[in-house]
Amino acid sequence: MRYNNIRYSVVILFCLLFSDGFAQELIANVYGRNVQSLNGKWDAIIDQYDQGRKNKIYLNKKPEGKTDFYEYSFDHGLRLNVPSDWNSQSPELHRYEGTVWYARRFDAKKEAGKRLFLYFGAVSYRSRVYLNGKEIGKHEGGFTPFQIEITDQVQNTNNFLAVEVNNTRTVDAIPAMAFDWWNYGGITRDVFLVSTPKVFIEDYFVQLDKRKADKIDARIKLSENAANVNIRIQIPELNVDQDLTTDNKGFAKVSFNVKKLQRWSPDSPKLYKVIISSKDDKVEEMIGFRNLYTKGEDIYLNDKPVFLKAISFHEEIPQRKGRAFSEADAVMLLSEAKALGCNMIRLAHYPQNEYTVRLAEKMGFMLWEEIPIWQGIDFENEATKQKAGNMIREMVMRDKNRCALSFWGVANETQPSEPRNNFLKYLIETCKAVDTTRLMTAAFDLVRFNKEKQLFVMDDPFIQELDVVAINKYMGWYHQWPLAPEKAKWEVAKGKPLIISEFGGEALYGQLGNEDVVSSWSEDYQATLYRDNLKMFRNIPNLRGTAPWILFDFRSPFRFHPTNQDGWNRKGLISDQGFKKKAWYLMRDYYKNIK
Ligand code: GCU
């Protein structure tokens, strides 16, 4: 996409030069294309000491002569579901960190003038892909899609596909060595075989102007630098039927005014069918149109100030102790957010699957997406910075046509430093090289109570780089009250909108009483904590949203207490078995009373 300027090409050049993966441009809207699913049972080998690549097991050799000998086979062994994490599929893999090889065979319809791509929705955390005995690509990052063109490597029948997956935590990774969620590994999202014409519509960006309520901007890119190709963009319900012609880079762009546009909002999540076609290709997608910007301390959606009644959730189904990956999982998580009365979701702490993002848009949730820059990242490592740049660009490229996407988050609880500031500024630039319309934010845990001033304050000049400042603050849990909650006054990020992106405390469902005892892990104490925080929120002058941490109890190796936690973070408003705790009702009523 020819977006703005040299900066964009410099950013991309860096990504291409330093990316650990292979930098094929992502095909936009794979879910709207002609795909063959490769989901299902795959053969697997647990390679705990990383011997597989050295022994070239991706060749899938079988003994032929009497003296042939191969100390492996993919047949008749472990079978794993794809998509899914491996942790929830076998007790021996529950805490496994290391390499697992996945393999399957598939047939492919090779057609003249057609191209074939392997598309992975996500593989956690790093992967190498082998087709018919040859390494064809690799990727790092557990939460964003990637694809590999196989047009010339694939055969009509009996292709052997092997994927080497490793989820070992490393200092230079994102996230790094310790994070408060389960380190699920595996081919955790859909795998598709995507067929396209030789020259296809590779990418497009169709959205309402940042401020104007009747002007739509459309940018389209072909897969090749093909000039003078006619492209058509139609939005039938708005009587839009525009013809464009590509330049010598295969780009085309147009802006046009529309009448009677129904702008998307949580209360009215209107989406329009958008059809983009060329002589050889056609892709369509439901796209919404809305205006989103800040003015002083307010966030404006469609020219009206909005208060964000938010909630966070991890990409996890607690009852299954597994990562969420399907449409059914998305329905379960989002129905609970709707029941709570939310109009926004912080998809913590990493880009979640497309079913969740697309359904959230259909159901009317504004979204915050982030890459897992979670606490201790190796900010001084250039390679880590490039990896983060790749990840955030993959996230923005995947979801830039989702009008529900309102916030790009660049960090969670990072500490002020020159390397951290440079790293995060690079991420902001990388986001803006693709999309300049969404609000940039980050979550900080730096608010402190200043005794002299009797004020909650924060000192981190980096917030000047952001449109919206988000604060994680656990008053009544990690921090006890220095004064009565209703007397707590804040002076944080004056002049900018502020969201409380995390607050809350733990409770074991069904444990009652002790409403004033923090270590009781009781529902009654959690309810006290919520009541106290809601009182404090009244005294934050630039508060424009709240997001309790968190919708459901979730798995975490951090959480050692044998009876109250047992490997679960119990801050959920809903238990791991799906039962609402007392605090859930407090939050539901708080949101119901916000007009
Ligand atoms: C942090 C962090 C969360 C974590 C939470 C907690 O703020 O952002 O990822 O789960 O605190 O301690 O429960």
Side-chain angles (χ1 to χ4, degrees):
M1 291 268 136
R2 176 180 306 144
Y3 292 107
N4 31 30
N5 50 21
I6 298 295
R7 184 174 61 179
Y8 166 60
S9 35
V10 167
V11 162
I12 298 315
L13 184 66
F14 262 114
C15 288
L16 294 179
L17 289 174
F18 289 91
S19 75
D20 184 31
F22 49 95
Q24 277 191 21
E25 201 56 89
L26 202 62
I27 300 173
N29 185 20
V30 156
Y31 285 82
R33 280 195 171 278
N34 153 26
V35 299
Q36 173 187 332
S37 168
L38 296 181
N39 291 348
K41 288 272 185 205
W42 288 41
D43 300 320
I45 292 176
I46 301 173
D47 181 7
Q48 193 164 348
Y49 290 172
D50 288 307
Q51 298 299 301
R53 196 182 317 157
K54 185 169 70 130
N55 296 336
K56 298 187 177 8
I57 65 172
Y58 49 86
L59 296 174
N60 194 29
K61 288 279 190 188
K62 301 272 186 281
E64 278 145 24
K66 286 194 177 146
T67 55
D68 287 344
F69 167 68
Y70 300 102
E71 205 169 358
Y72 71 88
S73 167
F74 280 101
D75 304 336
H76 317 304
L78 176 67
R79 304 261 283 159
L80 291 176
N81 291 320
V82 169
S84 173
D85 59 270
W86 62 55
N87 313 69
S88 58
Q89 295 195 60
S90 150
E92 66 177 323
L93 294 172
H94 180 53
R95 290 178 181 273
Y96 180 69
E97 288 193 352
T99 297
V100 172
W101 288 78
Y102 288 76
R104 65 159 290 165
R105 295 184 178 288
F106 67 91
D107 296 342
K109 227 184 0 286
K110 289 189 76 163
E111 296 170 74
K114 291 279 185 181
R115 296 166 70 174
L116 282 171
F117 295 82
L118 270 178
Y119 171 90
F120 294 85
V123 180
S124 180
Y125 163 81
R126 53 185 70 79
S127 55
R128 282 175 189 260
V129 183
Y130 306 82
L131 183 64
N132 300 328
K134 286 197 186 62
E135 182 176 339
I136 57 170
K138 58 184 178 179
H139 184 265
E140 180 169 347
F143 304 100
T144 46
F146 60 98
Q147 75 199 29
I148 305 165
E149 181 158 10
I150 57 171
T151 311
D152 301 331
Q153 289 94 337
V154 75
Q155 50 205 38
N156 271 324
T157 57
N158 207 22
N159 292 282
F160 183 73
L161 172 63
V163 184
E164 180 185 0
V165 181
N166 176 282
N167 72 331
T168 306
R169 287 162 297 117
T170 59
V171 170
D172 66 344
I174 297 149
M177 290 306 288
F179 39 89
D180 192 19
W181 64 87
W182 207 258
N183 180 25
Y184 290 112
I187 302 179
T188 49
R189 294 184 193 159
D190 291 330
V191 183
F192 295 144
L193 196 53
V194 187
S195 169
T196 70
K198 193 157 176 41
V199 179
F200 61 90
I201 296 159
E202 178 178 80
D203 195 30
Y204 52 86
F205 192 2
V206 183
Q207 66 171 352
L208 198 58
D209 179 85
K210 192 165 176 70
R211 295 257 177 170
K212 295 194 182 78
D214 59 358
K215 178 172 173 275
I216 290 179
D217 299 317
R219 286 154 173 70
I220 295 156
K221 180 180 179 301
L222 291 177
S223 56
E224 317 302 314
N225 295 348
N228 303 319
V229 172
N230 294 327
I231 306 268
R232 190 177 179 193
I233 176 167
Q234 297 161 279
I235 312 176
E237 207 179 328
L238 293 174
N239 299 319
V240 169
D241 190 344
Q242 294 272 337
D243 289 316
L244 301 80
T245 310
T246 57
D247 65 15
N248 59 9
K249 291 265 184 268
F251 282 99
K253 65 178 186 178
V254 68
S255 295
F256 47 86
N257 287 343
V258 286
K259 289 191 177 57
K260 298 202 190 65
L261 175 75
Q262 204 182 321
R263 289 184 289 182
W264 180 96
S265 72
D267 296 334
S268 164
K270 172 70 179 169
L271 300 175
Y272 289 88
K273 181 186 282 190
V274 176
I275 306 159
I276 300 175
S277 55
S278 66
K279 181 171 66 61
D280 305 325
D281 197 13
K282 178 177 173 183
V283 61
E284 60 183 67
E285 185 162 19
M286 295 306 287
I287 293 182
F289 302 100
R290 51 97 186 100
N291 299 110
L292 178 72
Y293 50 85
T294 59
K295 211 171 6 179
E297 296 182 344
D298 287 317
I299 299 169
Y300 281 76
L301 177 69
N302 300 332
D303 307 318
K304 285 202 280 307
V306 64
F307 187 88
L308 303 167
K309 303 182 280 188
I311 188 70
S312 283
F313 55 67
H314 269 294
E315 188 175 50
E316 181 180 77
I317 301 301
Q319 295 88 334
R320 185 171 76 220
K321 290 189 190 174
R323 187 148 276 174
F325 54 78
S326 67
E327 183 125 42
D329 292 342
V331 168
M332 192 284 271
L333 293 167
L334 292 166
S335 307
E336 289 292 356
K338 191 58 86 178
L340 188 59
C342 300
N343 63 8
M344 173 178 151
I345 296 166
R346 180 190 178 194
L347 293 172
H349 278 292
Y350 35 74
Q352 300 196 13
N353 67 75
E354 278 203 76
Y355 295 112
T356 298
V357 172
R358 289 173 182 271
L359 183 59
E361 181 173 72
K362 278 199 197 96
M363 291 174 70
F365 291 103
M366 295 169 74
L367 294 174
W368 157 327
E369 268 196 326
E370 58 189 284
I371 62 169
I373 302 292
W374 194 91
Q375 297 184 8
I377 295 291
D378 191 359
F379 289 124
E380 306 199 20
N381 183 329
E382 185 58 28
T384 302
K385 189 170 101 171
Q386 297 313 322
K387 282 178 202 174
N390 281 347
M391 287 179 198
I392 208 160
R393 187 172 184 277
E394 288 167 350
M395 174 179 80
V396 176
M397 286 298 280
R398 186 193 80 173
D399 291 341
K400 61 186 179 294
N401 287 307
R402 303 277 71 75
C403 70
L405 234 307
S406 307
F407 302 89
W408 298 127
V410 292
N412 184 70
E413 302 192 343
T414 59
Q415 302 311 309
S417 77
E418 195 57 29
R420 177 266 238 164
N421 293 352
N422 292 335
F423 195 106
L424 298 189
K425 280 179 193 164
Y426 172 72
L427 294 186
I428 291 171
E429 272 184 33
T430 307
C431 268
K432 290 186 173 177
V434 179
D435 168 39
T436 56
T437 65
R438 285 173 177 90
L439 303 177
M440 300 305 302
T441 188
F444 300 88
D445 62 342
L446 300 169
V447 168
R448 296 287 176 270
F449 183 67
N450 180 312
K451 282 200 186 65
E452 292 69 57
K453 294 182 183 171
Q454 286 292 296
L455 268 179
F456 284 88
V457 295
M458 170 177 159
D459 174 22
D460 184 350
F462 186 77
I463 62 174
Q464 293 320 316
E465 304 294 328
L466 303 169
D467 299 304
V468 175
V469 177
I471 302 297
N472 298 350
K473 192 66 186 168
Y474 286 89
M475 293 310 299
W477 191 251
Y478 298 123
H479 313 285
Q480 294 321 308
W481 294 96
L483 77 177
E486 61 277 10
K487 293 198 169 26
K489 298 249 180 301
W490 284 48
E491 198 170 283
V492 177
K494 269 170 74 85
K496 283 183 183 285
L498 182 148
I499 301 176
I500 296 289
S501 39
E502 291 183 32
F503 75 97
E506 300 200 21
L508 180 63
Y509 173 73
Q511 199 149 282
L512 305 177
N514 295 311
E515 73 280 359
D516 58 349
V517 180
V518 182
S519 60
S520 65
W521 255 272
S522 73
E523 286 190 53
D524 292 292
Y525 179 75
Q526 189 188 41
T528 301
L529 180 150
Y530 268 75
R531 267 193 294 278
D532 289 346
N533 277 274
L534 297 182
K535 282 179 199 158
M536 174 174 71
F537 293 162
R538 290 188 206 119
N539 302 330
I540 304 178
N542 53 335
L543 180 71
R544 298 297 179 267
T546 55
W549 186 261
I550 185 168
L551 186 60
F552 277 95
D553 291 352
F554 62 95
R555 303 284 293 141
S556 167
F558 270 30
R559 306 298 166 177
F560 308 134
H561 194 289
T563 50
N564 292 319
Q565 293 178 317
D566 183 24
W568 290 89
N569 180 317
R570 297 284 185 199
K571 294 192 183 68
L573 291 173
I574 305 174
S575 76
D576 58 294
Q577 294 303 306
F579 294 108
K580 296 175 175 63
K581 302 174 191 175
K582 290 185 175 184
W584 183 93
Y585 298 90
L586 284 169
M587 268 325 284
R588 188 272 313 269
D589 294 345
Y590 174 69
Y591 281 162
K592 204 189 285 183
N593 293 327
I594 293 174
K595 291 302 163 225

